[in-house]
Structure formats: C-alpha cells, structure tokens
C-alpha cells in the first residue's frame, strides 16, 4: 500500500465551481464500477461469469464522460467502460444477467459481456471488431445535426483501436461534416500485449487531430475532476457549435487484457507508478482531506453498494438459464416487417432500368423525410451512373450527401442513422467496392437485430455485373458474399418495373438490404414503369414464360440471357423463373415448376463455385428428388477473376455454356 501522502503528490484536484453534492456524486459513481469489478473477479474465479475485461484504474474516464453528457445523448462504449453503463443507472441485475447470458440481460443470451446496446439508456455497445463503433457515432450525430437537435455523441476507443482504418475514416467523416462527436481515446499503454511504441509513431495520439482539422486535447484520464470538468466544458460548446473533438485520455491498464492473459509483459515499476495514480484512491483521499467525505460516510456508501450488488446478483442468479427454441432464434434475425401493398398507378412511362431506379429512389425520398442518401459523387455530380442526378437540388445536400472515399465509415454511419431514427440508402460507386465496407455489413448491420433488437434500416445500392469490359474490379456480381450471412436481405431485379417497386420496398423494410443493379441493364433495358409510388413484395419470384420440358431458374442479367435463348430457339419449352429476390428466396415457385417439368437448370452470372445456384440446386435435390428426370444443372461464370479483354470476358461469362448445358439436360 502507498501512503495517502505519495498519492497526494501524484495528483492535484481542482474543484472549480463544483458543489459538495456534485463532488460526492462523482465519488459514488466512481466507487460503483470498482466494487462491481472486484466482485466480478471473484465470480470469474468461481466460474460464474465468462471472460472479463477489466477497467480498474480507468474508471474516471467512463464516469467523467458519462456524467458530462445528458441522459438522452448517445454514448458508444468499449469493453473497459463499465463505468459508462453504471453511470447511466442501468439496474445491476440486468448487467449481471447480461454477463451470465441470461434473458434478463440485453441480448437474450446471444452476445456476451459489453456487447449490447439499449435505446432506453441511449447506449450503443461495441462489436468485437472495435473500429466500426466510431463510424456509427458519426451516423448518430448526423441524425441529430440534420434534425437541428443540439446533442453530442460520445464514442470510445482504445489506443490500439486507433490503428484501424475505421478510426481514420470516422474522424475524417466527422470533420468534413462538422459532426458533434466526442472521440475519446483511452490510452492505457497496451493493446493486449502490444505497447504503444509498437502501435503508433506520433508523439501523442491527440496530435492526429491536426491531420483531421479537428480540435484535440490530451488530459489526465485518472483525474475524475479534470475529466468531468473538461468534458463538460467541451460538450457544452459542441452543442452550440457542432464540431468533432478528439480527446486523448492518458491512463493505464492495471490488469490483463482479459483476466486469463495476465500482465507479465508489463514492467513492474510501470504498474507501481500507475498504482500511485489510482483514480479512486486519489480522489477519495482528496475528498477526505477536503472534509467532503468522512470515514463513516464512505463506509455507508460502500455498504449500500455492497447490498445493491448482492441484491442484483441474487436476482440474476435466480433467473433460469436461457433455453434454445428454434423458432425464437430464427424470429429475431430480422425485424418484423409487414409488407403492405401499394398498387401501381395505371399511367406508365417507357423508361430505362436506370431511370426506374432513380424514380423509385425519388418517390421514397418524397415519402420518407427521414431518408438520407449517401455515396461518392452522388450530389451535384449525380453519381457515376447518374441515378441521383438533380436530387441534390431537389432535396438538398443534407439528405443527398457526398461522402469521402470510405465505405466502411459510411456504412457504419448508416447504421448510426438507423439507431437514431433515420433511414439510409448508401450508393456503392461499384458493387466491387463493398469489400472496403464488408465488416460493418456482415458484422454490424446483419447481426444487430438478433443481438440486441436494434434494426438496421439501411439499403446498400450495388451497381454490379460484367459484360462491360471493365476488368476484375468493376465487373463482379458479388451477391453470394451476402446471401451467406443471416440478417441481410438480398434483392436482384432484372427489369425496370421490378427495380422501382423492389427498391421502394427495400427502403420501406427496416432491415438491411443489399440491392443489386446490373450496370449492363441500366441503359440497355427499357420497360413500362408506372408513375407514382408503388411497391413489390420480397420473396416472390416471377414466372416469365411457361413450358413443359425444363425449368430455368435465374436472376439479374441471367434472365435476359435465358429470354434471348428462348427467343432464338423457339422449340424450347421452358419455365423461366426470375427470382427477383435471393434472400428471401421463393422456393415455392421453384419447387412447383420443377415438380412439373422434372428438369432444372440454374443460371447465374456469378462465378460458379459457392454461388446462389449451388444452394438452389441442393434445395431442389432435397425437396423435389422424386420428380427429377435428370441431374440439376448449375451454370455460372468461370471460376477466375473477371477478365478485361472482350474475348476473355465472353469466355468467362456463362452464355455459351448455358446453351450447351440446357441441351445436354434436355437430352438426358
Ligand atoms: C479487428 C480486430 N482485430 C483484433 C481484435 C482482437 N483484440 C481485441 S481487443 C484488442 C486490443 C485492443 O487494444 P486497445 O484498443 O488499446 O484497447 P484496450 O483493450 O487496451 O482497452 C485486440 C487486439 C479484435 N477484437 N478486432
């Protein structure tokens, strides 16, 4: 134990205008997470909770920041921020149930530790990947800003997390858009076992503020008064003058990354030095010296907290463990959405596919005034395919928003918009570039409803497809990257009428939708498209032609290849099924047709292995085996990247192989 005197030398406190009561409240909020943690460490050793990420020694940051924010301002904490949750007064039994994977927690036992959010408490917990939190905070702040609400959003990261691209993207977006986000870096010396010297090379992480054109500060994260007063001052000013601010809090991680990993790699003298700077012990000594907190009052506070913890634990322990019910698990993957048909008007225009997409988007913009469209070059320039031409003038650049080149940050921001009651459409300039935003799509948007009941009302528009001589990075049709991931819906229209109606539905639907638009169809395919607002249901394939001998199942450009072949070879008698949506998939229409014809061929533009056709083939085999008169055929592009030169690309695409395969199957 170090003496009170050596602590006093280590830390100075300046109370400024704070009252007795305020000083005491800060103290109580600082003791609570410490005492919970001490109890949790015991329970961990007894095997009663799973992994534990200790925030001991860092509590002043969580508590000071949370107390500086208003209750209805969002905070996005990380794994060491217990003090954020406790300072928002979450009932302790709910936290304990959460850590034990019980239903009284926040995730119905589906996610662990601090991986949860709660709209009630305006908290948005992390995903394991750390970085996406930062972009989500941008989206939440953007929603406040667009609605003219004077609110700050605070988001946390460790210094290790600042090395992720997401950190850069989120700060850059916040800066360019003047978003009132408080970026809190907890610099605790180590990212797992990696010391700061191996994590970054600038003197201070706060120096990075200069690079983002952002106000930045570096403060003592172990001094609760410094944290609380500085953040109160900053947030007050950010509410009036919306802008991002970066704060680097200097602190130290006193225990292992998580309990099992220990601290062997941390020099002992460093730990001893920081032990002297313990935020709680120093503040308590200060309050004692000041006469704000007496021994007996301190004892009373601690006794009350002990009782509170005991009570919470009793409730949580008494709760039964969650049990598996297949229907319940499946039911929570998507937010309920009951499609209400809005029939099309009678009057139509003969327009191109691209115009239909644009028209659908425009009608959705008119109907939903909380809809924001984001993408590269989509405002004055109208997007590279001109889908949003004229939109910026009509709806303003708040709602038709050019973004920097940062897919991950923008998709995360779209998630944040959804959390804060908005709808978002994100245009990928080319669907290929979604790979730079893959993480938030498959890990955040797709999983968030199942995890803690938050929906992700986001549509990602995906101009895709080959046959346009654009080579490996502007030609892919990458729907199978997403049909594999539970929680996403995947739409792939082949005609202007469907493109408009399905895009409208995608925007109505509160779930994340990947909306594929084949570039080759944009200006080559025309159709009669009703004027006005109408929608079309997901999960309903279209039977485009009816025949007796074979079922052709396809979507997107494949539909046009199939129709071409049937147009040229009129003796072919086939059902052509245009799937229209891949998730949900209309298996009923597929099975009905295959049971009639006895032969099935699935045509996809995507490379063959691991594509949608493979699963449809398996489903047909499982459900229609007795009806089949031949092996189910899959036809797709060659399993290579998409080549550039015309002859190579023609050979890559499946058109010729489709013709051969269909005749082979008919002759079987
Ligand atoms: C994308 C990703 N890579 C690696 C990890 C594994 N991991 C989890 S936490 C962590 C260290 C984080 O360090 P820091 O951001 O400094 O936070 P601290 O744990 O020190 O509070 C690592 C490497 C991860 N969760 N996500």
């Amino acid at each position: 134990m170090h003496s009170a005197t050596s602590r006093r030398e280590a830390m100075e406190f300046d109370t400024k205008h704070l009252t007795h009561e305020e000083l005491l409240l800060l103290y109580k909020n600082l003791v609570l997470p410490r005492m919970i943690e001490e109890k949790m460490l015991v329970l961990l050793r007894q095997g009663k909770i799973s992994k534990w990420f200790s925030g001991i020694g860092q509590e002043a940051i969580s508590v000071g920041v949370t107390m500086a924010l208003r209750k209805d301002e969002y905070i996005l904490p990380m794994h060491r921020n217990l003090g954020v949750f406790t300072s928002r007064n979450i009932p302790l039994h709910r936290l304990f149930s959460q850590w034990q994977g019980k239903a009284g927690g926040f995730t119905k036992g589906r996610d662990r530790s601090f991986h949860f959010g709660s709209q009630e408490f305006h908290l948005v917990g992390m995903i394991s990947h750390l970085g996406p939190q930062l972009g989500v905070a941008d989206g939440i702040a953007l929603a406040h800003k667009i609605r003219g609400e004077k609110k700050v959003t605070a988001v946390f990261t460790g210094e290790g997390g600042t090395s992720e691209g997401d950190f850069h993207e989120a700060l850059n977006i916040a800066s360019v858009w003047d978003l009132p986000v408080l970026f809190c870096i907890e610099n605790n010396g180590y990212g797992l076992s990696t010391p700061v010297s191996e994590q970054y090379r600038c003197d201070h992480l706060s120096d990075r503020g200069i690079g983002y054109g952002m106000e930045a500060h570096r403060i003592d994260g172990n001094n609760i008064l410094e944290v609380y007063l500085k953040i109160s001052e900053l947030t007050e000013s950010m509410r009036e003058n919306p802008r991002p601010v970066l704060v680097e809090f200097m602190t130290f991680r006193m225990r292992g990354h998580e309990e099992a990993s220990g601290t062997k790699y941390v020099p002992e003298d460093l730990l001893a030095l920081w032990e002297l700077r313990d935020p709680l012990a120093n503040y308590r000594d200060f309050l004692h010296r000041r006469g704000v907190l007496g021994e007996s009052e301190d004892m009373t506070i601690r006794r009350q907290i002990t009782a509170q913890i005991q009570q919470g634990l009793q409730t949580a322990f008494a709760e039964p463990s969650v049990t598996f019910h297949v229907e319940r698990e499946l039911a929570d993957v998507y937010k309920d959405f009951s499609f209400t048909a809005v029939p099309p008007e009678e009057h139509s225009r003969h327009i191109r596919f691209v115009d239909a997409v644009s028209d659908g988007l425009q009608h959705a913009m008119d109907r939903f005034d909380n809809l924001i469209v984001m993408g590269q070059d989509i405002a004055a320039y109208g997007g590279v395919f001109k889908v949003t031409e004229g939109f910026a003038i009509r709806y303003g650049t708040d709602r038709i928003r050019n973004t920097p080149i940062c897919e991950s940050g923008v998709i995360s921001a779209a998630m944040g918009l959804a959390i804060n009651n908005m709808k978002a459409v994100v245009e990928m300039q080319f669907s290929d570039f979604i790979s730079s935003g893959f993480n938030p799509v498959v890990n955040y948007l797709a999983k968030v409803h199942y995890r803690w009941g938050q929906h992700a009302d986001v549509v990602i528009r995906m101009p895709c497809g080959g046959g346009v001589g654009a080579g490996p990075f502007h030609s892919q049709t990458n729907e199978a990257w997403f049909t594999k991931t539970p929680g996403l819906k995947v739409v792939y229209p082949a005609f202007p009428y469907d493109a408009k109606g399905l895009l409208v539905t995608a925007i109505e639907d509160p779930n994340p939708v990947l909306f594929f638009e084949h570039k080759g169809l944009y200006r080559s395919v025309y159709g009669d498209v009703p004027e006005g607002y109408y929608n079309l249901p997901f999960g309903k394939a279209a039977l485009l032609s009816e025949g007796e001998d074979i079922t052709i199942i396809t979507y997107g450009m494949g539909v046009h290849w199939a129709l071409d072949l049937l147009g040229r070879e009129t003796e072919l008698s086939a059902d052509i099924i245009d799937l229209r949506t891949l998730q949900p998939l209309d298996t009923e229409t597929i099975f009905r047709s295959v049971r009639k014809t006895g032969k099935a061929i699935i045509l996809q533009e995507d490379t063959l292995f691991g594509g949608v056709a493979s699963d449809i083939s398996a489903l047909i085999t499982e459900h229609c085996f007795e009806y089949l008169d031949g092996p189910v055929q899959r036809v797709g592009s060659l399993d290579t990247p998409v080549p550039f030169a015309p002859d190579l690309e023609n050979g890559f695409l499946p058109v010729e192989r489709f013709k051969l395969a269909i005749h082979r199957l008919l002759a079987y």
Side-chain angles (χ1 to χ4, degrees):
M1 277 299 278
H2 295 277
S3 70
T5 322
S6 53
R7 279 189 200 116
R8 207 155 47 232
E9 282 160 5
M11 210 178 282
E12 298 280 329
F13 288 96
D14 180 356
T15 61
K16 296 234 165 71
H17 55 270
L18 294 177
T19 64
H20 221 79
E21 285 68 35
E22 286 169 321
L23 293 171
L24 267 183
L25 184 60
L26 282 164
Y27 176 68
K28 286 179 190 165
N29 281 350
L30 208 49
V31 187
L32 180 60
R34 176 70 59 93
M35 289 183 67
I36 292 174
E37 256 214 56
E38 285 166 352
K39 183 70 190 174
M40 289 308 130
L41 293 177
V42 175
L43 294 181
L44 186 76
R45 281 193 285 276
Q46 296 171 350
K48 291 186 176 153
I49 54 166
S50 75
K51 260 187 168 175
W52 186 259
F53 295 91
S54 174
I56 285 183
Q58 302 183 212
E59 297 97 334
I61 305 166
S62 300
V63 172
V65 169
T66 307
M67 289 182 69
L69 261 74
R70 296 179 182 154
K71 293 267 181 269
D72 62 352
E73 290 177 322
Y74 283 95
I75 303 182
L76 296 86
M78 298 299 285
H79 48 290
R80 287 187 211 293
N81 297 123
L82 171 59
V84 170
F85 296 90
T86 52
S87 300
R88 279 275 156 105
N89 297 322
I90 292 186
L92 295 190
H93 69 89
R94 295 206 64 192
L95 282 179
F96 300 155
S97 290
Q98 168 65 23
W99 300 334
Q100 290 174 40
K102 293 191 168 166
F106 292 84
T107 61
K108 303 186 185 174
R110 291 169 184 161
D111 206 343
R112 66 184 190 189
S113 62
F114 297 100
H115 292 191
F116 68 92
S118 159
Q119 285 286 4
E120 183 187 351
F121 295 98
H122 285 83
L123 293 176
V124 179
M126 65 189 290
I127 66 165
S128 288
H129 297 67
L130 313 169
Q133 278 294 77
L134 298 149
V136 174
D138 283 350
I140 292 175
L142 176 61
H144 285 314
K145 193 173 172 197
I146 288 173
R147 294 197 295 260
E149 297 161 353
K150 294 183 173 181
K151 286 183 183 173
V152 169
T153 303
V155 60
F156 286 83
T157 176
E159 86 290 342
T162 66
S163 301
E164 288 192 56
D166 283 300
F167 174 82
H168 166 75
E169 295 191 9
L171 269 73
N172 189 49
I173 292 170
S175 191
V176 171
W177 292 352
D178 294 317
L179 301 176
V181 180
L182 183 74
F183 291 101
C184 304
I185 304 173
E186 286 185 275
N187 191 339
N188 65 4
Y190 286 83
L192 216 157
S193 75
T194 305
V196 292
S197 57
E198 293 176 38
Q199 194 70 250
Y200 59 85
R201 262 303 139 84
C202 45
D203 286 342
H204 305 299
L205 288 170
S206 53
D207 293 345
R208 291 194 182 169
I210 300 166
Y212 298 111
M214 187 183 293
E215 179 182 335
H217 303 269
R218 186 166 160 267
I219 66 177
D220 180 356
N222 282 25
N223 185 323
I224 181 69
L225 296 189
E226 192 173 331
V227 174
Y228 176 64
L229 290 166
K230 186 67 191 173
I231 301 304
S232 299
E233 175 198 316
L234 285 173
T235 49
E236 250 168 60
S237 134
M238 289 162 73
R239 286 178 198 113
E240 289 311 314
N241 170 20
R243 66 188 190 283
V245 175
L246 176 64
V247 181
E248 181 182 12
F249 298 92
M250 303 312 294
T251 186
F252 202 74
R253 201 193 66 210
M254 300 303 293
R255 303 187 66 86
H257 167 66
E258 43 87 31
E259 282 309 304
S261 62
T263 52
K264 273 207 182 104
Y265 46 86
V266 183
E268 278 184 13
D269 53 344
L270 202 55
L271 278 169
L273 194 77
W274 281 93
E275 173 68 36
L276 276 180
R277 300 189 49 75
D278 181 78
L280 179 60
N282 277 284
Y283 187 53
R284 183 192 299 131
D285 288 350
F286 166 74
L287 294 182
H288 279 307
R289 285 198 308 277
R290 269 294 178 96
V292 176
L293 178 72
E295 276 300 338
S296 68
E297 195 176 3
D298 194 9
M299 291 287 279
T300 310
I301 292 172
R302 287 165 168 273
R303 254 199 312 274
Q304 281 167 349
I305 292 178
T306 305
Q308 202 187 338
I309 293 173
Q310 275 311 331
Q311 204 176 22
L313 281 174
Q314 260 170 27
T315 311
F317 280 134
E319 222 192 312
S321 296
V322 293
T323 49
F324 176 75
H325 290 281
V326 66
E327 296 80 15
R328 201 162 56 203
E329 293 309 295
L330 289 171
D332 280 347
V333 175
Y334 297 96
K335 183 176 166 72
D336 277 345
F337 166 62
S338 54
F339 173 79
T340 311
V342 180
E345 284 175 16
E346 263 177 36
H347 194 259
S348 291
R349 285 182 306 143
H350 196 65
I351 57 175
R352 301 171 302 179
F353 192 106
V354 69
D355 305 319
V357 173
S358 181
D359 201 32
L361 189 57
Q362 182 159 326
H363 281 288
M365 285 296 292
D366 290 335
R367 175 151 305 206
F368 301 107
D369 57 12
N370 63 342
L371 174 60
I372 308 298
V373 182
M374 303 189 285
Q376 290 153 28
D377 310 290
I378 65 159
Y381 189 69
V384 293
F385 296 107
K386 302 297 171 200
V387 168
T388 52
E389 187 145 54
F391 277 43
I393 293 168
R394 188 170 169 146
Y395 302 105
T397 48
D398 253 2
R399 294 184 65 201
I400 304 297
R401 198 160 264 276
N402 274 344
T403 73
I405 306 169
C406 47
E407 286 75 7
S408 186
V410 169
I411 293 168
S412 303
M415 180 69 241
L417 283 172
I419 288 171
N420 204 356
N421 280 319
M422 307 289 273
K423 284 177 169 288
V425 169
V426 181
E427 175 177 299
M428 287 294 108
Q429 202 154 68
F430 288 82
S431 75
D432 310 69
F433 302 141
I434 191 90
S435 49
S436 294
F438 195 64
N439 185 30
V441 177
V442 299
N443 284 316
Y444 218 127
L445 277 59
K447 297 176 177 38
V448 70
H449 191 265
Y450 176 74
R451 291 171 56 239
W452 58 277
Q454 170 61 51
H455 64 279
D457 198 343
V458 178
V459 177
I460 303 180
R461 292 190 33 244
M462 303 277 280
C464 65
V468 289
F473 305 112
H474 289 77
S475 307
Q476 296 169 90
T477 176
N478 41 11
E479 64 278 9
W481 296 1
F482 304 100
T483 46
K484 176 74 198 93
T485 304
L488 303 174
K489 297 192 179 182
V490 180
V491 179
Y492 207 141
F495 297 100
Y497 173 82
D498 291 342
K500 179 174 170 181
L502 289 171
L503 180 59
V504 163
T505 307
I507 294 168
E508 289 178 352
D509 191 319
N511 293 288
V513 181
L514 278 294
F515 191 87
F516 285 83
E517 302 164 12
H518 199 294
K519 312 187 288 282
L521 302 179
Y522 268 159
R523 290 174 165 76
S524 67
V525 170
Y526 283 70
D528 289 336
V529 176
E531 292 189 333
Y533 190 96
Y534 69 90
N535 56 15
L536 291 170
F538 286 177
K540 294 261 179 273
L543 191 57
L544 298 181
S545 83
E546 291 194 55
E548 296 307 318
D549 301 338
I550 194 164
T551 300
I552 302 168
I553 301 148
T554 185
Y555 55 96
M557 186 58 95
V559 172
H560 298 277
W561 291 331
L563 288 171
D564 273 2
L565 188 70
L566 254 67
R568 275 183 280 114
E569 303 193 10
T570 46
E571 75 287 357
L572 283 177
S573 174
D575 272 6
I576 299 184
I577 296 175
D578 170 7
L579 293 171
R580 301 202 285 193
T581 68
L582 305 177
Q583 173 53 259
L585 184 68
D586 182 359
T587 49
E588 211 179 297
T589 299
I590 297 171
F591 296 161
R592 197 183 314 118
S593 169
V594 175
R595 283 173 187 147
K596 180 186 75 178
T597 64
K599 287 185 175 173
I601 185 165
I602 309 140
L603 170 63
Q604 69 184 23
E605 180 180 334
D606 189 11
T607 51
L608 189 60
F609 189 82
V612 169
S614 301
D615 264 282
I616 295 174
S617 167
L619 283 165
I620 293 171
T621 311
E622 283 163 18
H623 293 270
C624 310
F625 187 72
E626 312 83 60
Y627 298 84
L628 289 174
D629 297 325
V632 180
Q633 294 290 299
R634 296 166 307 138
V635 184
S637 287
L638 210 59
D639 284 314
T640 67
V642 189
F644 163 60
D647 198 48
L648 297 186
E649 191 175 18
N650 284 338
F652 163 84
L653 291 170
V655 184
E656 280 308 306
R657 283 189 296 281
F658 172 57
K659 194 170 144 186
L660 296 176
I662 204 168
H663 285 293
R664 216 171 32 236
L665 181 56
L666 282 168
Y668 187 89

